[in-house]
Short mmCIF file of all heavy atoms in Angstrom, two decimals:
data_model
loop_
_atom_site.label_atom_id
_atom_site.label_comp_id
_atom_site.label_asym_id
_atom_site.label_seq_id
_atom_site.Cartn_x
_atom_site.Cartn_y
_atom_site.Cartn_z
N GLN A 156 -98.74 1.64 82.95
CA GLN A 156 -97.79 1.50 81.85
C GLN A 156 -97.22 0.09 81.72
O GLN A 156 -96.72 -0.27 80.66
CB GLN A 156 -96.66 2.52 81.99
CG GLN A 156 -97.16 3.95 81.81
CD GLN A 156 -96.06 4.98 81.92
OE1 GLN A 156 -95.69 5.38 83.02
NE2 GLN A 156 -95.52 5.41 80.81
N HIS A 257 -100.23 7.59 89.79
CA HIS A 257 -99.53 7.86 88.53
C HIS A 257 -100.58 7.79 87.42
O HIS A 257 -100.52 6.96 86.52
CB HIS A 257 -98.39 6.86 88.33
CG HIS A 257 -97.33 7.31 87.37
ND1 HIS A 257 -95.98 7.33 87.68
CD2 HIS A 257 -97.41 7.74 86.09
CE1 HIS A 257 -95.29 7.75 86.62
NE2 HIS A 257 -96.14 8.00 85.65
N TRP A 258 -101.63 8.62 87.61
CA TRP A 258 -102.56 8.99 86.54
C TRP A 258 -103.74 8.06 86.30
O TRP A 258 -104.58 8.37 85.46
CB TRP A 258 -101.82 9.21 85.22
CG TRP A 258 -100.68 10.17 85.31
CD1 TRP A 258 -100.33 10.94 86.39
CD2 TRP A 258 -99.74 10.49 84.29
NE1 TRP A 258 -99.23 11.71 86.10
CE2 TRP A 258 -98.84 11.44 84.81
CE3 TRP A 258 -99.58 10.06 82.98
CZ2 TRP A 258 -97.78 11.98 84.07
CZ3 TRP A 258 -98.53 10.59 82.24
CH2 TRP A 258 -97.64 11.53 82.78
N ASN A 301 -97.67 11.62 91.12
CA ASN A 301 -96.67 11.80 90.08
C ASN A 301 -97.11 12.93 89.15
O ASN A 301 -98.19 12.88 88.56
CB ASN A 301 -96.53 10.53 89.23
CG ASN A 301 -95.50 10.71 88.13
OD1 ASN A 301 -94.31 10.82 88.40
ND2 ASN A 301 -95.95 10.77 86.88
N GLU A 302 -96.30 13.96 89.04
CA GLU A 302 -96.44 15.01 88.03
C GLU A 302 -97.86 15.59 87.93
O GLU A 302 -98.55 15.40 86.92
CB GLU A 302 -96.02 14.46 86.66
CG GLU A 302 -94.60 13.95 86.62
CD GLU A 302 -94.12 13.61 85.21
OE1 GLU A 302 -94.94 13.60 84.28
OE2 GLU A 302 -92.90 13.39 85.05
N TYR A 433 -86.70 15.76 81.99
CA TYR A 433 -86.44 15.20 80.66
C TYR A 433 -85.80 16.21 79.72
O TYR A 433 -84.97 15.85 78.89
CB TYR A 433 -87.73 14.65 80.05
CG TYR A 433 -88.20 13.40 80.77
CD1 TYR A 433 -89.11 13.47 81.82
CD2 TYR A 433 -87.70 12.15 80.43
CE1 TYR A 433 -89.52 12.33 82.50
CE2 TYR A 433 -88.10 11.00 81.09
CZ TYR A 433 -89.00 11.10 82.13
OH TYR A 433 -89.38 9.97 82.81
N GLU A 497 -87.39 10.40 88.15
CA GLU A 497 -87.42 9.94 86.75
C GLU A 497 -86.45 10.77 85.93
O GLU A 497 -86.40 11.99 86.05
CB GLU A 497 -88.80 10.12 86.09
CG GLU A 497 -89.85 9.15 86.50
CD GLU A 497 -91.19 9.41 85.83
OE1 GLU A 497 -91.21 9.92 84.69
OE2 GLU A 497 -92.21 9.12 86.45
N TRP A 544 -85.75 6.29 84.27
CA TRP A 544 -87.03 5.95 83.64
C TRP A 544 -86.69 5.34 82.31
O TRP A 544 -86.13 6.05 81.47
CB TRP A 544 -87.93 7.17 83.46
CG TRP A 544 -89.23 6.73 82.83
CD1 TRP A 544 -89.50 6.64 81.50
CD2 TRP A 544 -90.39 6.26 83.52
NE1 TRP A 544 -90.77 6.13 81.32
CE2 TRP A 544 -91.33 5.89 82.53
CE3 TRP A 544 -90.71 6.11 84.88
CZ2 TRP A 544 -92.59 5.39 82.87
CZ3 TRP A 544 -91.96 5.62 85.20
CH2 TRP A 544 -92.89 5.26 84.19
N GLU A 551 -96.33 4.11 76.58
CA GLU A 551 -95.97 5.52 76.75
C GLU A 551 -97.16 6.42 76.45
O GLU A 551 -97.17 7.23 75.53
CB GLU A 551 -94.73 5.85 75.90
CG GLU A 551 -94.24 7.29 75.96
CD GLU A 551 -94.14 7.91 77.35
OE1 GLU A 551 -93.78 7.20 78.31
OE2 GLU A 551 -94.44 9.11 77.47
N TRP A 552 -98.23 6.24 77.22
CA TRP A 552 -99.40 7.12 77.20
C TRP A 552 -99.91 7.34 75.76
O TRP A 552 -100.09 6.35 75.06
CB TRP A 552 -99.08 8.43 77.95
CG TRP A 552 -98.52 8.15 79.32
CD1 TRP A 552 -97.25 8.42 79.75
CD2 TRP A 552 -99.18 7.50 80.42
NE1 TRP A 552 -97.10 8.00 81.07
CE2 TRP A 552 -98.25 7.43 81.49
CE3 TRP A 552 -100.45 6.97 80.63
CZ2 TRP A 552 -98.57 6.86 82.73
CZ3 TRP A 552 -100.77 6.40 81.86
CH2 TRP A 552 -99.83 6.35 82.89
N PHE A 560 -88.71 3.71 76.30
CA PHE A 560 -87.87 4.35 77.31
C PHE A 560 -87.11 3.33 78.16
O PHE A 560 -86.36 3.71 79.05
CB PHE A 560 -88.73 5.18 78.27
CG PHE A 560 -89.07 6.58 77.79
CD1 PHE A 560 -90.18 6.81 77.00
CD2 PHE A 560 -88.28 7.66 78.15
CE1 PHE A 560 -90.51 8.10 76.58
CE2 PHE A 560 -88.59 8.95 77.74
CZ PHE A 560 -89.71 9.17 76.95
C1 LIG B 285 -93.19 11.22 82.56
C2 LIG B 285 -94.14 10.21 83.15
C3 LIG B 285 -93.78 8.78 82.86
C4 LIG B 285 -93.26 8.60 81.46
C5 LIG B 285 -92.17 9.59 81.18
C6 LIG B 285 -91.55 9.45 79.83
O1 LIG B 285 -93.84 12.42 82.36
O2 LIG B 285 -94.20 10.37 84.55
O3 LIG B 285 -94.90 7.99 83.12
O4 LIG B 285 -94.30 8.71 80.56
O5 LIG B 285 -92.67 10.89 81.31
#
Side-chain angles (χ1 to χ4, degrees):
Q156 293 181 277
H257 201 127
W258 307 353
N301 179 68
E302 302 189 350
Y433 290 92
E497 285 179 30
W544 181 271
E551 179 46 36
W552 309 114
F560 276 87

